[in-house]
PDB file of all heavy atoms in Angstrom:
ATOM      1  N   PRO V  56     -34.462  72.661   8.327  1.00 78.00           N
ATOM      2  CA  PRO V  56     -34.058  73.648   9.333  1.00 78.00           C
ATOM      3  C   PRO V  56     -35.079  73.799  10.453  1.00 78.00           C
ATOM      4  O   PRO V  56     -35.579  74.888  10.703  1.00 78.00           O
ATOM      5  CB  PRO V  56     -33.901  74.935   8.515  1.00 78.00           C
ATOM      6  CG  PRO V  56     -34.818  74.749   7.377  1.00 78.00           C
ATOM      7  CD  PRO V  56     -34.880  73.294   7.081  1.00 78.00           C
ATOM      8  N   ILE V  57     -35.401  72.704  11.122  1.00 77.00           N
ATOM      9  CA  ILE V  57     -36.337  72.730  12.243  1.00 77.00           C
ATOM     10  C   ILE V  57     -35.627  72.103  13.425  1.00 77.00           C
ATOM     11  O   ILE V  57     -35.211  70.939  13.367  1.00 77.00           O
ATOM     12  CB  ILE V  57     -37.618  71.957  11.901  1.00 77.00           C
ATOM     13  CG1 ILE V  57     -38.350  72.663  10.764  1.00 77.00           C
ATOM     14  CG2 ILE V  57     -38.521  71.878  13.108  1.00 77.00           C
ATOM     15  CD1 ILE V  57     -39.432  71.871  10.171  1.00 77.00           C
ATOM     16  N   LEU V  58     -35.439  72.883  14.486  1.00 77.00           N
ATOM     17  CA  LEU V  58     -34.636  72.419  15.609  1.00 77.00           C
ATOM     18  C   LEU V  58     -35.477  71.535  16.519  1.00 77.00           C
ATOM     19  O   LEU V  58     -36.549  71.915  16.960  1.00 77.00           O
ATOM     20  CB  LEU V  58     -34.109  73.610  16.409  1.00 77.00           C
ATOM     21  CG  LEU V  58     -33.351  74.650  15.589  1.00 77.00           C
ATOM     22  CD1 LEU V  58     -32.994  75.826  16.463  1.00 77.00           C
ATOM     23  CD2 LEU V  58     -32.105  74.060  14.999  1.00 77.00           C
ATOM     24  N   ASP V  59     -34.990  70.310  16.807  1.00 75.00           N
ATOM     25  CA  ASP V  59     -35.662  69.421  17.750  1.00 75.00           C
ATOM     26  C   ASP V  59     -34.596  68.510  18.352  1.00 75.00           C
ATOM     27  O   ASP V  59     -33.416  68.859  18.346  1.00 75.00           O
ATOM     28  CB  ASP V  59     -36.788  68.641  17.062  1.00 75.00           C
ATOM     29  CG  ASP V  59     -36.320  67.953  15.801  1.00 75.00           C
ATOM     30  OD1 ASP V  59     -35.104  67.927  15.579  1.00 75.00           O
ATOM     31  OD2 ASP V  59     -37.150  67.444  15.040  1.00 75.00           O
ATOM     32  N   GLU V  60     -35.015  67.344  18.856  1.00 71.00           N
ATOM     33  CA  GLU V  60     -34.036  66.452  19.486  1.00 71.00           C
ATOM     34  C   GLU V  60     -32.968  66.010  18.485  1.00 71.00           C
ATOM     35  O   GLU V  60     -31.824  65.767  18.851  1.00 71.00           O
ATOM     36  CB  GLU V  60     -34.728  65.210  20.053  1.00 71.00           C
ATOM     37  CG  GLU V  60     -35.775  65.483  21.110  1.00 71.00           C
ATOM     38  CD  GLU V  60     -37.153  65.637  20.515  1.00 71.00           C
ATOM     39  OE1 GLU V  60     -37.471  64.937  19.545  1.00 71.00           O
ATOM     40  OE2 GLU V  60     -37.906  66.504  21.012  1.00 71.00           O
ATOM     41  N   ALA V  61     -33.379  65.871  17.209  1.00 70.00           N
ATOM     42  CA  ALA V  61     -32.445  65.352  16.216  1.00 70.00           C
ATOM     43  C   ALA V  61     -31.465  66.421  15.734  1.00 70.00           C
ATOM     44  O   ALA V  61     -30.422  66.094  15.176  1.00 70.00           O
ATOM     45  CB  ALA V  61     -33.219  64.788  15.025  1.00 70.00           C
ATOM     46  N   LEU V  62     -31.786  67.688  15.941  1.00 71.00           N
ATOM     47  CA  LEU V  62     -30.951  68.754  15.393  1.00 71.00           C
ATOM     48  C   LEU V  62     -30.878  69.866  16.450  1.00 71.00           C
ATOM     49  O   LEU V  62     -31.808  70.621  16.631  1.00 71.00           O
ATOM     50  CB  LEU V  62     -31.577  69.290  14.105  1.00 71.00           C
ATOM     51  CG  LEU V  62     -30.772  70.318  13.314  1.00 71.00           C
ATOM     52  CD1 LEU V  62     -29.651  69.639  12.602  1.00 71.00           C
ATOM     53  CD2 LEU V  62     -31.662  71.040  12.326  1.00 71.00           C
ATOM     54  N   SER V  63     -29.726  69.927  17.156  1.00 71.00           N
ATOM     55  CA  SER V  63     -29.619  70.928  18.213  1.00 71.00           C
ATOM     56  C   SER V  63     -29.188  72.264  17.618  1.00 71.00           C
ATOM     57  O   SER V  63     -28.863  72.369  16.439  1.00 71.00           O
ATOM     58  CB  SER V  63     -28.613  70.467  19.263  1.00 71.00           C
ATOM     59  OG  SER V  63     -27.337  70.443  18.688  1.00 71.00           O
ATOM     60  N   LYS V  64     -29.213  73.309  18.465  1.00 70.00           N
ATOM     61  CA  LYS V  64     -28.900  74.648  17.983  1.00 70.00           C
ATOM     62  C   LYS V  64     -27.508  74.719  17.358  1.00 70.00           C
ATOM     63  O   LYS V  64     -27.302  75.393  16.368  1.00 70.00           O
ATOM     64  CB  LYS V  64     -28.976  75.628  19.156  1.00 70.00           C
ATOM     65  CG  LYS V  64     -30.370  76.091  19.465  1.00 70.00           C
ATOM     66  CD  LYS V  64     -30.337  77.137  20.559  1.00 70.00           C
ATOM     67  CE  LYS V  64     -31.723  77.317  21.137  1.00 70.00           C
ATOM     68  NZ  LYS V  64     -31.750  78.222  22.285  1.00 70.00           N
ATOM     69  N   GLY V  65     -26.557  74.006  17.973  1.00 70.00           N
ATOM     70  CA  GLY V  65     -25.188  74.074  17.470  1.00 70.00           C
ATOM     71  C   GLY V  65     -25.015  73.373  16.136  1.00 70.00           C
ATOM     72  O   GLY V  65     -24.240  73.805  15.283  1.00 70.00           O
ATOM     73  N   GLU V  66     -25.759  72.255  15.943  1.00 71.00           N
ATOM     74  CA  GLU V  66     -25.588  71.483  14.711  1.00 71.00           C
ATOM     75  C   GLU V  66     -26.245  72.147  13.512  1.00 71.00           C
ATOM     76  O   GLU V  66     -25.922  71.800  12.373  1.00 71.00           O
ATOM     77  CB  GLU V  66     -26.201  70.093  14.879  1.00 71.00           C
ATOM     78  CG  GLU V  66     -25.440  69.189  15.818  1.00 71.00           C
ATOM     79  CD  GLU V  66     -26.235  67.942  16.138  1.00 71.00           C
ATOM     80  OE1 GLU V  66     -27.090  67.575  15.314  1.00 71.00           O
ATOM     81  OE2 GLU V  66     -26.018  67.362  17.198  1.00 71.00           O
ATOM     82  N   ALA V  67     -27.182  73.068  13.780  1.00 69.00           N
ATOM     83  CA  ALA V  67     -27.962  73.632  12.676  1.00 69.00           C
ATOM     84  C   ALA V  67     -27.061  74.267  11.631  1.00 69.00           C
ATOM     85  O   ALA V  67     -27.280  74.094  10.427  1.00 69.00           O
ATOM     86  CB  ALA V  67     -28.948  74.655  13.213  1.00 69.00           C
ATOM     87  N   LEU V  68     -26.019  74.968  12.099  1.00 71.00           N
ATOM     88  CA  LEU V  68     -25.144  75.673  11.160  1.00 71.00           C
ATOM     89  C   LEU V  68     -24.452  74.689  10.225  1.00 71.00           C
ATOM     90  O   LEU V  68     -24.235  74.978   9.054  1.00 71.00           O
ATOM     91  CB  LEU V  68     -24.123  76.481  11.952  1.00 71.00           C
ATOM     92  CG  LEU V  68     -23.265  77.417  11.137  1.00 71.00           C
ATOM     93  CD1 LEU V  68     -24.142  78.384  10.382  1.00 71.00           C
ATOM     94  CD2 LEU V  68     -22.312  78.162  12.026  1.00 71.00           C
ATOM     95  N   MET V  69     -24.133  73.494  10.742  1.00 74.00           N
ATOM     96  CA  MET V  69     -23.391  72.537   9.926  1.00 74.00           C
ATOM     97  C   MET V  69     -24.300  71.688   9.044  1.00 74.00           C
ATOM     98  O   MET V  69     -23.893  71.254   7.975  1.00 74.00           O
ATOM     99  CB  MET V  69     -22.570  71.608  10.828  1.00 74.00           C
ATOM    100  CG  MET V  69     -21.467  72.291  11.583  1.00 74.00           C
ATOM    101  SD  MET V  69     -20.522  73.430  10.562  1.00 74.00           S
ATOM    102  CE  MET V  69     -19.846  72.287   9.369  1.00 74.00           C
ATOM    103  N   ASN V  70     -25.521  71.382   9.518  1.00 75.00           N
ATOM    104  CA  ASN V  70     -26.308  70.354   8.835  1.00 75.00           C
ATOM    105  C   ASN V  70     -27.554  70.841   8.121  1.00 75.00           C
ATOM    106  O   ASN V  70     -27.998  70.202   7.179  1.00 75.00           O
ATOM    107  CB  ASN V  70     -26.743  69.288   9.848  1.00 75.00           C
ATOM    108  CG  ASN V  70     -25.590  68.383  10.211  1.00 75.00           C
ATOM    109  OD1 ASN V  70     -24.760  68.069   9.355  1.00 75.00           O
ATOM    110  ND2 ASN V  70     -25.508  68.006  11.460  1.00 75.00           N
ATOM    111  N   ALA V  71     -28.154  71.937   8.603  1.00 78.00           N
ATOM    112  CA  ALA V  71     -29.466  72.288   8.057  1.00 78.00           C
ATOM    113  C   ALA V  71     -29.319  72.926   6.682  1.00 78.00           C
ATOM    114  O   ALA V  71     -28.302  73.537   6.367  1.00 78.00           O
ATOM    115  CB  ALA V  71     -30.185  73.243   9.000  1.00 78.00           C
ATOM    116  N   VAL V  72     -30.375  72.801   5.866  1.00 81.00           N
ATOM    117  CA  VAL V  72     -30.367  73.442   4.556  1.00 81.00           C
ATOM    118  C   VAL V  72     -30.717  74.916   4.726  1.00 81.00           C
ATOM    119  O   VAL V  72     -31.170  75.353   5.780  1.00 81.00           O
ATOM    120  CB  VAL V  72     -31.351  72.771   3.579  1.00 81.00           C
ATOM    121  CG1 VAL V  72     -31.022  71.314   3.399  1.00 81.00           C
ATOM    122  CG2 VAL V  72     -32.763  72.953   4.036  1.00 81.00           C
ATOM    123  N   ASP V  73     -30.509  75.671   3.646  1.00 82.00           N
ATOM    124  CA  ASP V  73     -30.761  77.114   3.648  1.00 82.00           C
ATOM    125  C   ASP V  73     -32.257  77.382   3.819  1.00 82.00           C
ATOM    126  O   ASP V  73     -33.055  76.907   3.012  1.00 82.00           O
ATOM    127  CB  ASP V  73     -30.270  77.656   2.289  1.00 82.00           C
ATOM    128  CG  ASP V  73     -30.169  79.158   2.286  1.00 82.00           C
ATOM    129  OD1 ASP V  73     -30.810  79.784   3.137  1.00 82.00           O
ATOM    130  OD2 ASP V  73     -29.454  79.688   1.426  1.00 82.00           O
ATOM    131  N   PRO V  74     -32.694  78.101   4.855  1.00 84.00           N
ATOM    132  CA  PRO V  74     -34.142  78.321   5.020  1.00 84.00           C
ATOM    133  C   PRO V  74     -34.723  79.376   4.087  1.00 84.00           C
ATOM    134  O   PRO V  74     -35.947  79.415   3.909  1.00 84.00           O
ATOM    135  CB  PRO V  74     -34.276  78.762   6.475  1.00 84.00           C
ATOM    136  CG  PRO V  74     -32.963  79.306   6.825  1.00 84.00           C
ATOM    137  CD  PRO V  74     -31.943  78.603   6.002  1.00 84.00           C
ATOM    138  N   VAL V  75     -33.883  80.226   3.482  1.00 86.00           N
ATOM    139  CA  VAL V  75     -34.431  81.347   2.697  1.00 86.00           C
ATOM    140  C   VAL V  75     -35.158  80.857   1.443  1.00 86.00           C
ATOM    141  O   VAL V  75     -36.302  81.252   1.197  1.00 86.00           O
ATOM    142  CB  VAL V  75     -33.330  82.360   2.366  1.00 86.00           C
ATOM    143  CG1 VAL V  75     -33.925  83.532   1.619  1.00 86.00           C
ATOM    144  CG2 VAL V  75     -32.672  82.841   3.624  1.00 86.00           C
ATOM    145  N   PRO V  76     -34.548  79.974   0.594  1.00 86.00           N
ATOM    146  CA  PRO V  76     -35.301  79.493  -0.570  1.00 86.00           C
ATOM    147  C   PRO V  76     -36.569  78.756  -0.179  1.00 86.00           C
ATOM    148  O   PRO V  76     -37.598  78.899  -0.851  1.00 86.00           O
ATOM    149  CB  PRO V  76     -34.323  78.554  -1.274  1.00 86.00           C
ATOM    150  CG  PRO V  76     -33.012  78.958  -0.814  1.00 86.00           C
ATOM    151  CD  PRO V  76     -33.185  79.437   0.578  1.00 86.00           C
TER     152      PRO V  76
END
Side-chain angles (χ1 to χ4, degrees):
Chain V
I57 295 168
L58 306 175
D59 51 10
E60 300 92 36
L62 186 75
S63 67
K64 278 185 196 175
E66 290 169 25
L68 188 58
M69 294 315 297
N70 285 324
V72 301
D73 194 340
V75 183

